[in-house]
Amino acid sequence: MKKHNFYAGPSILSQYTIGQTAEAIKDFAGTGLSILEVSHRSKEFVAVMDEAQALVKELLDVPEGYHVLFLGGGASLQFAMVPMNLMRGRAGYLDTGTWASNAIKEAKLFGEADVLASSKDANYTFYPTGYEVPADLDYLHITTNNTIYGTELRTDPDVPVPLVADMSSDIFSRPVDVSKYDVIYAGAQKNLGPAGVTLVIVKEDALGKVDRAIPTMLDYRTHIKKGSMFNTPPVLPVYSSLMTLRYYKEMGGVKALEALDLKKAGMLYDAIDSSRIFVGTARPDSRSIMNVTFVMKPEYAELEKAFIDFASQRGIVGIKGHRSVGGFRASLYNALPAESVEALVQAMKDFESQH
Ligand SMILES: *Cc1c(COP(=O)(O)O)cnc(C)c1O
């Protein structure tokens, strides 16, 4: 039986993506070779890379002057590549969760990383607003969706400096005004493809302004010049990502995906808010539509494990909260069908009526 997959990452991919990838593993584009054994310089794979870049540009309406890259190293490598390539002296960071703190830690290796706002004291349960952004910062780094804590910023803030965003867990879930950003990056394994490739959108004009020596592989300009083919790219993850991008286009693009995501999240938050035993952990104005975090009310806390077992008997997997916060987390990425959310909501109601 196909499971209802609520894992936070690696996470559910569309059936289309998985089916097409399975086909390409057997025979890639009629080459008589598997995608696993084909040259990345073959014309068939170069076409894959070109189409993937073009579809990212189309889906996110990327303006002229930006490049779309598919790199290795995960979002975590971007925590260092961003300051290495962009930080002259001082940048601002929002400390909105574990991934944001990891980005801050790396940035401090390259200059002054000022934390302009933090929700750490409130266990990252809200997305800070009302902070001042000094106009002389090299950039402001934000994490648009805090995968572990279930908070999200669904707008592109107006600030007097360029933005850099880690959009690993909510990219392609809304239209983005890319022109406000110098860099947008996202590890693939949340809303795009299998682990192993990282999507980076970088503004050409933002580069070449730092004095430090940058190792070749960590310099965005290397990958721009070579169209993400300086070295062997993660061929299979790029192929699968292209299948997801085609699927997103077929679905009607990011506006249509956002409407579905809002509907799915609304269903689950309604169930949480009307429950006698479950309660949400993120402040309502900061709630993520990708990762929904909730717990049992204190008087029912000992039932947590029982609910996870109850749900798993119905094929619902991946709802255990991150080990650093506990409770539950249901990740509702683009590929998750509404029926899976309905199944979870029904399980919550049935469990509640038994306790
Ligand atoms: C998962 C995640 C990361 C880490 O991604 P890796 O590709 O494993 O390095 C970073 N930021 C956010 C917001 C994430 O959700």
Side-chain angles (χ1 to χ4, degrees):
M1 179 182 86
K2 184 79 182 133
K3 306 276 190 190
H4 298 293
N5 182 355
F6 290 92
Y7 277 107
S11 45
I12 188 165
L13 293 172
S14 74
Q15 284 301 104
Y16 178 77
T17 301
I18 291 170
Q20 293 295 114
T21 302
E23 287 298 315
I25 286 175
K26 286 182 259 169
D27 181 7
F28 168 54
T31 55
L33 298 172
S34 166
I35 182 91
L36 301 176
E37 53 186 10
V38 78
S39 167
H40 62 294
R41 309 274 177 209
S42 65
K43 71 174 188 324
E44 290 84 2
F45 184 73
V46 170
V48 166
M49 184 61 98
D50 289 348
E51 186 184 344
Q53 291 171 1
L55 274 179
V56 170
K57 287 186 177 166
E58 183 179 335
L59 286 164
L60 293 178
D61 204 6
V62 177
E64 287 294 308
Y66 285 77
H67 298 275
V68 172
L69 306 175
F70 288 94
L71 306 181
S76 298
L77 182 59
Q78 296 309 307
F79 297 162
M81 268 178 85
V82 162
M84 217 182 259
N85 283 269
L86 301 186
M87 200 192 232
R88 292 185 295 282
R90 188 159 77 104
Y93 278 72
L94 297 189
D95 176 22
T96 54
T98 307
W99 297 118
S101 328
N102 290 353
I104 293 164
K105 179 167 170 266
E106 293 303 295
K108 285 184 172 159
L109 298 171
F110 302 99
E112 198 182 321
D114 284 357
V115 176
L116 303 186
S118 172
S119 48
K120 187 173 186 184
D121 289 346
N123 203 23
Y124 297 121
T125 46
F126 69 93
Y127 209 103
T129 52
Y131 49 86
E132 289 289 318
V133 180
D136 62 344
L137 296 176
D138 296 333
Y139 59 82
L140 170 66
H141 180 283
I142 61 176
T143 310
T144 51
N145 186 65
N146 298 288
T147 322
I148 294 174
Y149 299 93
T151 66
E152 186 177 21
L153 180 69
R154 298 196 57 74
T155 54
D156 308 303
D158 284 308
V159 289
V161 299
L163 285 163
V164 172
D166 177 356
M167 296 195 183
S168 291
S169 51
D170 67 349
I171 195 150
F172 302 116
S173 73
R174 66 173 173 94
V176 171
D177 182 356
V178 176
S179 71
K180 287 186 175 176
Y181 295 84
D182 274 5
V183 177
I184 292 169
Y185 62 90
Q189 68 274 19
K190 314 285 171 45
N191 237 351
L192 185 56
V197 69
T198 310
L199 170 63
V200 178
I201 302 170
V202 57
K203 186 179 188 177
E204 169 118 38
D205 285 350
L207 303 175
K209 296 181 179 167
V210 298
D211 293 330
R212 70 179 59 85
I214 306 176
T216 309
M217 270 296 284
L218 302 181
D219 190 328
Y220 289 126
R221 292 169 300 181
T222 303
H223 303 288
I224 291 172
K225 220 179 296 160
K226 299 289 183 178
S228 299
M229 295 274 208
F230 170 73
N231 69 326
T232 318
V235 170
L236 183 75
V238 171
Y239 181 81
S240 297
S241 297
L242 171 61
M243 295 306 116
T244 301
L245 293 165
R246 282 185 185 168
Y247 169 78
Y248 285 171
K249 182 172 173 179
E250 187 66 34
M251 295 279 290
V254 288
K255 266 217 169 83
L257 292 165
E258 179 178 43
L260 289 172
D261 292 334
L262 284 167
K263 186 168 150 260
K264 288 186 291 179
M267 271 160 48
L268 184 50
Y269 282 120
D270 284 349
I272 291 169
D273 290 342
S274 62
S275 168
R276 177 170 48 81
I277 66 173
F278 296 100
V279 60
T281 53
R283 209 170 73 181
D285 64 359
S286 302
R287 283 174 162 178
S288 166
I289 65 167
M290 292 280 107
N291 310 96
V292 176
T293 51
F294 54 109
V295 294
M296 292 279 183
K297 288 183 182 168
E299 58 272 37
Y300 296 99
E302 80 282 3
L303 292 175
E304 257 177 29
K305 185 169 178 316
F307 178 65
I308 286 175
D309 293 343
F310 182 86
S312 82
Q313 280 162 18
R314 299 179 176 203
I316 294 167
V317 298
I319 57 165
K320 199 171 178 341
H322 189 270
R323 60 190 181 280
S324 62
V325 279
F328 310 105
R329 169 176 54 175
S331 298
L332 315 181
Y333 296 123
N334 287 347
L336 185 84
E339 299 79 69
S340 289
V341 183
E342 280 159 17
L344 175 59
V345 166
Q346 193 59 50
M348 290 164 69
K349 294 203 162 124
D350 293 346
F351 186 82
E352 183 167 328
S353 70
Q354 292 175 17
H355 292 88

